[in-house]
């Protein structure tokens, strides 16, 4: 209602950006941030209230579309995007189209096995849904908890900024470990899909120049054809 009131012309469609796997029909799964299911699809509720045709889509897929239209990938049709935030998500844009996969879960790189995690084992349960091994260890909340455990309190700053600004050797080691984890996700994409570029988004974009270059070096070194 607030968006419609602020719009210069009346909207004809609403698009809801949602975490988790979103099927072609708009059903959402693996989305701890949304909490318990309301029993109906979110877009159906919004459509009923607003009267607008409403579409639900994965948030990282929409972010990738934005980057392809007017962002870091606007001059390329093939790229992989890795988002580091409350979770770790990915999106694939090939030939200018987001590839959603057979069940809508293409790009769920947070479920990659990490730190000798059992690739065939169950994902960790969080609030009745699932969180993958990589994001449970190296998402922003996980990294923040690790930083606080070594005495680095991010406060209102981004956790990567706080780690870069700390003189403690433990902070440098923790940041290196985070870069290893995020580079691992990028290397997997380059090995499997070989996109024209990799875009890092979310809190990874707050890395300073030295950390950015260190992350890029890791990806290049681990990719068969960088």
């Amino acid at each position: 209602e607030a968006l419609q009131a602020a719009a210069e012309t009346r909207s004809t469609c609403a698009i809801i950006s949602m975490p988790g796997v979103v099927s072609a029909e708009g059903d959402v799964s693996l989305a701890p941030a949304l909490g318990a299911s309301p029993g109906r699809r979110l877009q159906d509720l919004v459509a009923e209230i607003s009267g607008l045709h409403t579409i639900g889509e994965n948030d990282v897929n929409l972010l990738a579309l934005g980057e392809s239209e007017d962002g870091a990938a606007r001059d390329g049709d093939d790229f992989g995007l890795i988002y580091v935030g409350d979770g770790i998500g990915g999106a694939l844009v090939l030939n200018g189209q987001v590839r959603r996969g057979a069940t809508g879960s293409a790009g769920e790189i947070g479920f990659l096995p990490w730190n000798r995690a059992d690739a065939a084992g169950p994902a960790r349960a969080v609030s009745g849904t699932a969180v993958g091994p990589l994001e449970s260890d190296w998402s922003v909340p996980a990294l923040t908890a690790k930083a606080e455990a070594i005495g680095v309190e991010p406060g209102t700053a981004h956790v990567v900024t706080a780690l870069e600004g700390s003189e403690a050797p433990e902070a440098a080691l923790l940041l290196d470990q985070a870069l290893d984890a995020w580079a691992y996700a990028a290397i997997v994409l380059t090995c499997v899909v070989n996109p024209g570029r990799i875009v890092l988004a979310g809190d990874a974009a707050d890395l300073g120049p030295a950390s950015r270059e260190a992350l890029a070096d890791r990806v290049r070194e681990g990719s068969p054809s960088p």
Side-chain angles (χ1 to χ4, degrees):
E1 291 175 346
L3 285 171
Q4 288 196 71
E8 293 182 4
T9 58
R10 180 165 179 80
S11 302
T12 59
C13 177
I15 300 175
I16 305 176
S17 171
M18 297 188 286
V21 175
V22 184
S23 72
E25 295 74 31
D27 297 309
V28 183
S29 60
L30 306 180
L34 290 182
S37 170
R40 295 180 61 195
R41 296 186 304 177
L42 183 60
Q43 63 267 37
D44 291 342
L45 295 172
V46 173
E48 182 179 295
I49 294 170
S50 67
L52 297 174
H53 175 63
T54 307
I55 298 168
E57 179 56 281
N58 173 264
D59 51 358
V60 183
N61 284 347
L62 291 173
L63 184 62
L65 284 176
E67 294 294 345
S68 67
E69 286 293 325
D70 191 27
R74 59 183 175 274
D75 56 347
D77 289 335
D78 296 277
F79 67 95
L81 182 140
I82 296 167
Y83 176 82
V84 179
D86 287 342
I88 297 179
L92 298 171
V93 176
L94 303 176
N95 296 322
Q97 300 292 320
V98 172
R99 300 302 180 187
R100 306 181 71 257
T103 62
S105 61
E108 288 295 322
I109 57 174
F111 283 84
L112 288 171
W114 176 252
N115 196 23
R116 295 189 295 278
D118 182 1
R124 303 180 191 183
V126 177
S127 302
T129 58
V131 175
L134 183 64
E135 66 183 356
S136 68
D137 281 346
W138 295 107
S139 64
V140 169
L143 182 59
T144 300
K146 293 175 189 287
E148 292 173 345
I150 62 172
V152 177
E153 299 285 345
T156 58
H158 292 284
V159 63
V160 293
T161 304
L163 289 172
E164 288 175 329
S166 173
E167 297 181 357
E170 296 87 353
L173 175 60
L174 180 57
L175 183 59
D176 275 347
Q177 292 172 331
L179 296 181
D180 283 342
W182 300 343
Y184 166 67
I187 291 166
V188 169
L189 286 184
T190 62
C191 289
V192 175
V193 184
N194 190 28
R197 75 181 62 183
I198 295 289
V199 177
L200 273 292
D203 281 53
D206 294 303
L207 291 168
S211 296
R212 288 183 180 218
E213 190 58 31
L215 177 58
D217 285 344
R218 283 167 165 80
V219 177
R220 285 190 287 263
E221 290 167 2
S223 300
S225 180

